[in-house]
Amino acid sequence: MPRPPLTSRARSFLRNRTRVGFRRSANSVIPAIQMTVCAVGAYVFAERVLGHSGPLFAATSSMIALGFTRDPRLRRVLEVGLGCTLGIALGDVLLALFGTGIWQAAVVLFVSILLARFLDSGTIFTTQLGLQSLLVVLLPAPDGGPFTRSVDAIVGGLFALVIVVLAPKDPRKEPKTNVRELLGELSDVLRESATALTRSDPTLAWHALIKARNCQPLMEGLSGSMGAAQEVARLSPAYRRHRLELGELRGSIESIDLAVRNSRVFTRRLTSVINHAALTDEAVQELSQVIEDTADAVDVLGRALSASGAQERDLSLRQAREDLAAVATMLHPKLLGIQRLEGEGLVLLFRPLIVDLLEATGLPHDEAAGYLPRL
């Protein structure tokens, strides 16, 4: 097919970029208001209450502490505040020892970075300490004395902390979105595995394994958003009532992590089983149906864990639990018509995955494992 004209492609690109830009700006309205109020408030407080002249460090430290991250976290605020304060203090000390100049600035920056890495592994902490100490050497000293800028940095960090505690976004939103995305990927892994088994296609099984491996970044992102959500719920009076729900969600996520890991083991073994034609047609049909049913239950579990209302969550969790329990009762080689050792091993690898998913619905381990038929 001929490629569309350059002008048409350019217009399409601009439309898409504009649409994405407007959507990103619309989603950033609340964080932008928070950052504006925080930065201006810190500046005004340092200038009019503390009497500092041009307290830029108060505004900049508060903006950097909030930032456009998934969720402003207490660690981030503390890193920025301490990094700014230590950086400014170190810059003032070295300024008194060596004076100002290019080589002095280089020495200050080098020493600041090494000191930051010695004190903490955080990237934000290192950047702030180095940057602020460098600015102290390069910028003229304020009228209020050498450590005026340190106080400004503390003011900015405190204002950011107030915003984090009093006006966070709903901490449940992001981990719920992330867990549904992760379970959607796990469901795709299972469906692709079932298709590979039905078609006797080891390449599709290998693709399922690659997809299962690619779930790890999603899992890491989910763990990060979950930690941020629990931190906000502990700090913010408005969201403390959600601590129990978030604790239950964390327990489900830990079980999902194990299920994802087991899916990698299962799909790797599935490739070998297909290559060696270790299953009869009856066994292929039965096992592929079990895998498909598991994928359906995983979709229901994703809806349950991402539900906004308690009633919807409870109903979907109950359905997911019942569907997974029904799958678990079938996981015996004889019930699936499997006769060869390789096929039996595949079923044995699928059993812990089902137990992990049952635990993700809220069941204790013994009760979840109790649905499995005895071998």
Side-chain angles (χ1 to χ4, degrees), residues 227-339:
Q230 288 190 300
E231 191 170 90
V232 170
R234 283 195 301 268
L235 290 172
S236 174
Y239 293 114
R240 284 181 183 169
R241 66 184 186 278
H242 299 313
R243 285 181 294 179
L244 178 59
E245 181 183 349
L246 288 171
E248 293 174 350
L249 181 58
R250 174 174 282 281
S252 295
I253 289 170
E254 291 172 356
S255 298
I256 292 169
D257 184 19
L258 296 175
V260 170
R261 295 174 188 272
N262 281 322
S263 73
R264 294 198 288 266
V265 179
F266 174 78
T267 50
R268 189 184 303 114
R269 182 66 176 175
L270 179 64
T271 305
S272 174
V273 169
I274 294 174
N275 278 328
H276 291 88
L279 298 176
T280 64
D281 292 342
E282 178 191 358
V284 166
Q285 182 178 355
E286 293 290 340
L287 185 56
S288 62
Q289 186 60 54
V290 162
I291 299 173
E292 282 283 358
D293 291 344
T294 304
D296 293 339
V298 168
D299 288 336
V300 176
L301 179 60
R303 292 198 300 270
L305 296 181
S306 61
S308 56
Q311 183 177 4
E312 179 186 359
R313 181 173 63 253
D314 292 342
L315 288 174
S316 296
L317 272 179
R318 189 179 303 116
Q319 181 185 345
R321 188 179 300 125
E322 292 173 354
D323 293 345
L324 289 167
V327 170
T329 59
M330 292 294 298
L331 292 180
H332 191 289
K334 290 183 179 179
L335 295 175
L336 298 173
I338 294 173
Q339 301 171 357

Side-chain angles (χ1 to χ4, degrees), residues 6 16 29 50 102 116 122 124 140 147 170 218 249 262 270 307 314 327 355 359-360 363 375:
L6 181 61
N16 291 335
V29 170
L50 302 181
I102 298 300
I124 300 172
F147 290 99
D170 189 339
L218 294 177
L249 181 58
N262 281 322
L270 179 64
D314 292 342
V327 170
V355 172
E359 289 184 49
L363 288 182
L375 297 172

